[in-house]
Amino acid sequence: MTARLIDGLALSREIRAGLGARAEALAARGRRPGLAVILVGENPASAVYVRNKVKACAEHGLHSVLEKYQSTLTEAELLARIKALNADAAIHGILVQMPLPPHIAPAKVIAAIATAKDVDGYSVLSAGELTSGLPGLRPCTPLGCMKLIESTGAALRGKHAVVIGRSNTVGKPMALLLLQSDATVTVCHSRTPDLGLHTRMADVVVAAVGRRHTLRADMVKPGAVVIDVGMNRNDEGKLCGDVDFDAVREALGATGWITPVPGGVGPMTITMLLANTVDAAEAAEAAEAANA
Ligand code: NAP
């Protein structure tokens, strides 16, 4: 018997239906959630990502603005646009699509986004809120992974979770979210000498590496939950994750769980962007009421 699939598409649909209802309720009170997406330059992959984000907003009752700029846009011009969006009451979330052209410093741009509108959760202040356990907007991909784990019904308290990867956008926030759920967390990276030593002991493994077949069948414990964040191409050019999917699914056995690629983490990332935008709109409404 092979491990059960965690269906990210089905979970996304379910969560998005709830978000759509919350967006309509906000709209009825004159506060439709609004997301501004900024794209600088002509990176074709980025163009697809932003199109999908804007489309998802339209499908679920969120207002969205897509601002496209030539790669000649200056850093000062971009910072001025962010400043204007920070002050725009119709916008509750601001997302600047990465990568930016080399003459624009991403850290400066992310720092310019008001923390209350940082729906990517990438700013130093948002990271500080997460590290300190304060309320705030969390990075979308790790947040989506948490929802996928929760959907299995597996309680994280006291469990051993291993995160492979330590990027600021996925690995580190993932580890912090797992820690906040009372898991015992190990973070592995490219300098970890024996990855399998750690993953074989794990009840939950989150692979966020960007290298296919990083997690193999001899590296997992039967019954574990495996979340595959990786987005790679196999020899045939097909999308695949970091996990040797078929072999690991078999090794996990009937009591295990695994996310497919595609159809696992991917759809959840955009869903969490919508969730953060709706959360931000509700928080703005509550803050306004408190100040009235
Ligand atoms: P990243 O910034 O390149 O980080 C990769 C991490 O993997 C680094 O911490 C690196 O270690 C570690 N690593 C590299 N080789 C390793 C190895 N052999 N063993 C153990 N660890 C190793 O990438 P990222 O932005 O976190 O993204 C990771 C993957 O997730 C990529 O495939 C990306 O496309 C995908 N992704 C998917 C979504 C989605 O929505 N599905 C969203 C975001 C990212 P060092 O720190 O030591 O270099």
Side-chain angles (χ1 to χ4, degrees):
M1 291 283 277
T2 60
R4 292 157 287 183
L5 276 188
I6 312 175
D7 185 343
L9 278 170
L11 183 60
S12 268
R13 267 197 296 275
E14 192 186 314
I15 294 174
R16 287 183 188 201
L19 291 171
R22 282 166 63 196
E24 288 311 326
L26 278 158
R29 300 195 293 274
R31 193 183 288 275
R32 188 174 290 284
L35 175 70
V37 180
I38 301 180
L39 175 65
V40 186
E42 289 83 34
N43 182 322
S46 294
V48 174
Y49 294 146
V50 299
R51 220 177 22 246
N52 288 342
K53 288 166 186 173
V54 167
K55 184 166 164 263
C57 282
E59 285 169 358
H60 298 90
L62 279 75
H63 161 64
S64 68
V65 179
L66 173 56
E67 298 194 6
K68 286 187 188 173
Y69 298 103
Q70 305 279 318
S71 55
T72 49
L73 185 81
T74 67
E75 188 179 89
E77 285 168 333
L78 179 55
L79 293 176
R81 268 317 294 148
I82 292 172
K83 196 172 170 195
L85 290 165
N86 282 342
D88 186 340
I91 295 299
H92 306 97
I94 303 169
L95 181 153
V96 179
Q97 187 65 45
M98 299 293 158
L100 287 167
H103 64 278
I104 301 179
K108 224 169 165 181
V109 169
I110 293 167
I113 299 171
T115 311
K117 299 190 178 188
D118 177 26
V119 283
D120 254 343
Y122 286 172
S123 75
V124 171
L125 286 174
S126 297
E129 288 174 341
L130 170 58
T131 307
S132 312
L134 294 171
L137 297 164
R138 309 306 193 209
C140 301
T141 300
L143 192 57
C145 293
M146 290 301 288
K147 301 279 179 209
L148 289 162
I149 297 167
E150 281 163 20
S151 77
T152 67
L156 281 167
R157 176 167 294 177
K159 295 285 170 61
H160 182 204
V162 171
V163 179
I164 318 175
R166 57 174 166 178
S167 68
N168 288 336
T169 50
V170 189
K172 280 183 203 156
M174 187 72 237
L176 287 164
L177 288 171
L178 288 162
L179 196 59
Q180 278 172 13
S181 295
D182 294 330
T184 300
V185 183
T186 302
V187 182
C188 299
H189 46 79
S190 69
R191 301 286 181 259
T192 303
D194 185 352
L195 197 54
L197 180 75
H198 303 280
T199 56
R200 269 190 291 276
M201 291 191 298
D203 302 298
V204 175
V205 181
V206 180
V209 175
R211 204 187 64 144
R212 68 191 166 113
H213 292 186
T214 297
L215 190 73
R216 300 180 304 273
D218 62 342
M219 296 166 74
V220 295
K221 174 169 92 171
V225 177
V226 170
I227 307 291
D228 192 351
V229 183
M231 285 200 317
N232 313 298
R233 296 276 163 194
N234 66 14
D235 293 337
E236 290 79 50
K238 274 191 173 164
L239 192 64
C240 68
D242 291 340
V243 176
D244 185 2
F245 181 80
D246 290 331
V248 169
R249 188 178 184 189
E250 186 75 41
L252 291 170
T255 55
W257 291 92
I258 188 167
T259 57
V261 178
V265 175
M268 290 298 289
T269 295
I270 293 191
T271 299
M272 292 301 106
L273 175 67
L274 302 181
N276 277 349
T277 307
V278 173
D279 284 350
E282 288 174 349
E285 184 181 50
E288 207 171 278
N291 291 330

